[in-house]
Amino acid sequence: MAETEHGNPGGGTVTIRVNGRDAQVPRDATLLAVVEALDLPSRGLVCEWNGEVIPGAAWASRRVAAGDRLELVRFVGGG
C-alpha cells in the first residue's frame, strides 16, 4: 500500500477488513488514503466504515484503526 499525503503519521501498519478480506494499511491511514492505495476512483464510490456510510467529503479526516471493516462499492450505470 503506497503512502500518500493523507499518510501514516503514527508509523507501522494495522490489519483491517476491506470487502471481506484482510488488508495491511499504514497505522492511522485515512479512508481516502486506503481508497487511493487500492487504486479505486472516488467518483461513484460508496464507503461503509464499520456499518456507517461515510460521505466522500469526510474520507480525508477519518482514520482507520486495527479491526475496522470497510465495504467499498462502486456504482455502475447501465440499463
Side-chain angles (χ1 to χ4, degrees), residues 48-70:
E48 182 183 283
W49 178 44
N50 298 326
E52 178 185 358
V53 175
I54 306 298
W59 293 359
S61 63
R62 301 287 182 106
R63 297 196 180 276
V64 298
D68 280 355
R69 296 175 328 277
L70 298 181

Side-chain angles (χ1 to χ4, degrees), residues 1 3 12 35 40 51 69 75 78:
M1 173 171 254
E3 188 173 327
V35 168
L40 295 172
R69 296 175 328 277
F75 285 104

Side-chain angles (χ1 to χ4, degrees), residues 4-66:
T4 69
E5 66 192 58
H6 309 289
N8 185 10
T13 62
V14 294
T15 302
I16 64 171
R17 298 280 288 175
V18 179
N19 293 349
R21 295 188 175 155
D22 285 343
Q24 292 290 313
V25 299
R27 181 179 313 279
D28 294 325
T30 63
L31 293 175
L32 181 58
V34 172
V35 168
E36 288 174 344
L38 294 172
D39 292 324
L40 295 172
S42 57
R43 183 176 173 94
L45 189 70
V46 174
C47 177
E48 182 183 283
W49 178 44
N50 298 326
E52 178 185 358
V53 175
I54 306 298
W59 293 359
S61 63
R62 301 287 182 106
R63 297 196 180 276
V64 298

